[in-house]
Amino acid sequence: LAKTTQPISMDSYEGQEVNITCSHNNIATNDYITWYQQFPSQGPRFIIQGYKTKVTNEVASLFIPADRKSSTLSLPRVSLSDTAVYYCLVGGGYSSASKIIFGSGTRLSIRP
Amino acid sequence: SQTIHQWPATLVQPVGSPLSLECTVEGTSNPNLYWYRQAAGRGLQLLFYSVGIGQISSEVPQNLSASRPQDRQFILSSKKLLLSDSGFYLCAWSVGTSGGAEDTQYFGPGTRLTVL
């Protein structure tokens, strides 16, 4: 199983770019990397998914180096509303749901 | 568009009482369905998942059970609740052939369960 390691918490300020790194040293060839965002008392929400190199959508970018043993979620110009817990999820490639492991996540706090 | 419903939103139950949480999905067919539990300040723990009617896989041995009586209905049950069953219960759905981590999951609003 591809275990992930993320920082427990991070702090930043409005308008800054925030980068959250996830380590997944034993990622398998068919594994994808997916990031979710969770606000208090809500279910997680999909942010972005990638397999290699760089993926960008309207809310974030995901950087994956060639060895794929880590990934970095980049949030440009954060606001107070980006305060949430961010989860890195690694797995897939037609594996079963039994390999779904959400770690403890990174608690991001944005200050004015 | 697809929507997912969970009820009740909050629940307070005594130890030893039964439990039934319901989750329904609208706007999609043959979804993969999941039950997660989240303890206070912790990550999500996958409890059960289902890739079709009557197909339930259990991830964690416990006093909980799940059933899928209809394509878009997923029920979490217990005959006798324990204190350790307290937590935030989340239902999710996805579409995909495996139901694995590569499939984007869409989560419901959750049920906050307190066992006293």
Side-chain angles (χ1 to χ4, degrees):
Chain A
L1 299 178
K3 180 181 177 182
T4 61
T5 303
Q6 302 175 232
I8 294 174
S9 63
M10 294 180 65
D11 296 324
S12 188
Y13 294 90
E14 282 191 296
Q16 299 295 306
E17 178 185 76
V18 171
N19 296 309
I20 306 174
T21 298
C22 179
S23 297
H24 28 80
N25 291 320
N26 58 340
I27 187 169
T29 302
N30 294 330
D31 285 345
Y32 286 77
I33 301 159
T34 310
W35 286 81
Y36 288 84
Q37 175 193 55
Q38 186 180 25
F39 297 113
S41 298
Q42 295 185 25
R45 183 184 69 167
F46 171 86
I47 301 175
I48 197 167
Q49 182 182 75
Y51 182 78
K52 61 180 180 180
T53 62
K54 176 184 175 181
V55 179
T56 298
N57 62 21
E58 63 276 9
V59 298
S61 295
L62 179 60
F63 299 92
I64 305 170
D67 65 7
R68 303 202 326 124
K69 293 185 177 182
S70 67
S71 58
T72 299
L73 174 71
S74 181
L75 304 173
R77 295 182 299 280
V78 294
S79 65
L80 295 176
S81 63
D82 292 314
T83 295
V85 178
Y86 292 82
Y87 294 96
C88 166
L89 182 65
V90 174
Y94 298 102
S95 61
S96 72
S98 64
K99 293 189 176 183
I100 294 176
I101 299 177
F102 279 85
S104 297
T106 297
R107 188 172 301 275
L108 176 64
S109 298
I110 305 301
R111 302 177 181 178
Chain B
S1 63
Q2 300 88 1
T3 55
I4 179 169
H5 304 279
Q6 284 187 246
W7 64 90
T10 61
L11 191 60
V12 180
Q13 293 284 96
V15 170
S17 64
L19 173 73
S20 181
L21 303 180
E22 189 164 343
C23 170
T24 59
V25 180
E26 297 176 357
T28 187
S29 297
N30 195 30
N32 304 307
L33 296 172
Y34 312 81
W35 277 113
Y36 290 87
R37 178 170 60 200
Q38 186 172 35
R42 306 291 295 274
L44 282 75
Q45 179 186 36
L46 180 63
L47 301 176
F48 301 93
Y49 68 93
S50 171
V51 297
I53 296 175
Q55 301 179 59
I56 309 294
S57 296
S58 173
E59 291 300 296
V60 182
Q62 59 213 328
N63 68 320
L64 299 173
S65 63
S67 63
R68 185 171 178 172
Q70 301 180 43
D71 180 44
R72 291 170 288 178
Q73 184 185 30
F74 207 21
I75 298 172
L76 182 69
S77 304
S78 174
K79 293 182 179 179
K80 290 185 177 182
L81 284 169
L82 307 173
L83 287 175
S84 57
D85 290 325
S86 293
F88 190 44
Y89 287 81
L90 289 158
C91 180
W93 67 272
S94 73
V95 291
T97 55
S98 71
E102 77 276 17
D103 298 335
T104 299
Q105 294 184 55
Y106 302 92
F107 287 81
T111 294
R112 178 83 54 194
L113 172 66
T114 302
V115 182
L116 301 175

